[in-house]
Every structure is written in C-alpha cells, then in structure tokens.
Amino acid sequence: MAKKKSTKTPKGYKILIAIMIVSIVAMFGVAGYEWWKVRRAKFIRYPEFGIDMPVSYEIHGIDVSKYQQTINWEAVKEMEVEGIKLGFAFIKATEGLGNVDRQFRRNWKRAGDAAMPRGAYHFFLATKSGRIQAENFIRTVALEPGDLPPVLDVEQTYGVATAKIKAEVKTWLDIVEVHYGVKPILYTNVSFYEKYLGEDFDEYPLWVAHYLQKERPRIGRTWHFWQHSETGRVNGIRSLVDFNVFKGDSTDFRELLVK
C-alpha cells in the first residue's frame, strides 16, 4: 500500500518563518520608535533661546553631539525670536582613534535635509596619534559643497607636553587639509589657545569658546566663530545647547564654505 505524503510543514521551515516575522516586527518597531522620538522632539518648544544673545552679530548657530539626543532639525531651523534664526550647526563626528559619535550620521543627514548649513568636528585626544585620529575623521565624514570646513576640537592636555601637543595637532590639520582641500577650523578656549597653541596656529580659522563677556571673546588674534554660551535652548532639542556666532556677514560666511 502506498504511503501518503506528509502534509506537515518541516520544522526548519517553521523556524525560518518565525525568524522572518520577528525580524520584520523588530524593523518596524525600530522605525516606529525613531519616528516617535523625532515627533516628540518636534514639540519641544521654548518661548525664547533662554540666554542673552549677542545681537550685534548677523549669523547665529549651535553645536551638538550625542548629549543632545534625538533632534528635530526642522524645528531647529524654523525657530525665530525677534528676528534671530539659527544659520549653522557644528556636529560632533569623531573622537580619538576610532570613536564615532552615535548621533553623528543621523544628525548629519537630518541637518542636511533641513537645509541647515553644517560642519563636522573631531574631539582630539592629545595622548593619541594625530595621523590616526585624522584617518578616523576622514573615514567618517564626507563633506559636500556648502558644508563648513572640518573642525579640530582641542581643549585638554591629558598631561602631554606642549611640544608634543603642537606636533600631533599640526599633523591632524595637515592631513585633513590635504584630503578635503580646505583649511580646517581650530576650536578651543581662550586660555588653552594662549598657553598651549599660540601664534604657531594663527593661520587657521579660529572657533573660540569664551563665556565671560557679552560683546566678544577676550582674545587678541582674529577669530571666525565664538561659542558664547553652553546653556541655550532651541526648539526641537530637549537638553541645553551650546550657542555660537559667526564674525562676519552672509557674504563672508558663504566664502568660508566648502566650494
């Protein structure tokens, strides 16, 4: 007597189907959670920026990293208080030899989608190779026409001798300038620049942090950007934000951008 063909589904096939279902559910779950976070950020609204703004400057901006969490860039771009709008954003990209800020890729894309002029920065570790740190930044950041030049954030010595810091910083700057074809911006605070960098780096555009004066930073050399506060508020961002101004008008700003 001929045996009947089994109508049972093979166990392995069932497992495969189950895995596919779980994967699809997880994918939609992640997408849904991301949508919810962005929507929630959109409704973070403030009556004003929360700080005294240096109103004698035409172009204002912010800088962000993973600490600002999920940002709604459309809300950031749309915010306006008494004629002041945000015209640029510096976004943390990398740190040290291999670290990439966990919000960088999202912030970079979404800021671009919102037509926010953007720049990427690397947080420098003085104890590590400037060359390898430059390679980390280059692997991570693809600049496009209209972006701000790359930025090196150097503000701690970690006990490293001044001569060594200068050499490694210069190595980073040289490698990055050759790769992108534009002179990088140097970020630091007034006291660090004067004590550890000084005139050896006066050729680089300077983004300087100084919170003790309302009109301008207390530094003798020419500067391009001034970080004047670390306690600002912006629509679309839940946490406090660093605020900056650009020294110049819209023509000067466009001239600085990557061609």
Side-chain angles (χ1 to χ4, degrees), residues 68-142:
Q68 277 68 48
Q69 304 174 53
T70 301
I71 297 173
N72 187 295
W73 284 98
E74 290 77 14
V76 172
K77 182 74 183 298
E78 292 169 2
M79 186 175 184
E80 182 172 356
V81 179
E82 296 182 3
I84 296 177
K85 298 188 69 173
L86 298 178
F88 65 88
F90 286 114
I91 301 169
K92 183 177 181 181
T94 50
E95 177 175 335
L97 303 181
N99 181 269
V100 177
D101 187 273
R102 67 171 178 263
Q103 289 287 351
F104 172 68
R105 290 185 174 88
R106 183 190 182 281
N107 280 333
W108 191 250
K109 181 181 186 306
R110 297 298 176 87
D113 291 345
M116 173 69 76
R118 60 191 183 174
Y121 73 89
H122 174 85
F123 187 86
F124 190 79
L125 299 182
T127 57
K128 307 298 181 182
S129 162
R131 177 182 60 81
I132 299 177
Q133 292 190 72
E135 291 169 355
N136 181 24
F137 184 85
I138 290 168
R139 281 195 307 271
T140 305
V141 180

Side-chain angles (χ1 to χ4, degrees), residues 124 130 152-154 161-175 177 183-189 192-208 219-224:
F124 190 79
L152 181 62
D153 175 349
V154 52
T162 300
K164 177 68 170 174
I165 293 172
K166 286 184 175 182
E168 296 299 338
V169 165
K170 191 65 167 65
T171 295
W172 192 98
L173 294 169
D174 287 346
I175 292 172
E177 181 173 357
K183 190 170 288 296
I185 297 169
L186 189 59
Y187 167 91
T188 191
N189 59 68
F192 191 97
Y193 188 88
E194 293 176 344
K195 186 173 182 179
Y196 299 106
L197 299 175
E199 61 184 15
D200 291 343
F201 295 88
D202 281 353
E203 65 181 292
Y204 292 94
L206 180 64
W207 172 19
V208 61
I219 191 167
R221 63 150 289 180
T222 301
W223 54 273
H224 286 72

Side-chain angles (χ1 to χ4, degrees), residues 46-55 60-62 79 81-82 84 86 211 214 226-234 240-245:
Y46 303 101
E48 54 189 18
F49 293 118
I51 56 174
D52 292 333
M53 298 289 283
V55 294
H60 300 255
I62 58 174
M79 186 175 184
V81 179
E82 296 182 3
I84 296 177
L86 298 178
Y211 309 142
K214 292 185 177 182
W226 169 31
Q227 187 184 82
H228 59 85
S229 176
E230 55 185 350
T231 58
R233 291 286 191 183
V234 185
L240 298 175
V241 185
D242 296 336
F243 267 64
N244 307 270
V245 293

Side-chain angles (χ1 to χ4, degrees), residues 1 11 27 46 63-64 86 126 146 159 165 183-184 190 192 216:
M1 184 177 179
K11 185 177 181 180
M27 180 179 66
Y46 303 101
D63 59 275
V64 301
L86 298 178
I165 293 172
K183 190 170 288 296
V190 171
F192 191 97
R216 61 182 299 278

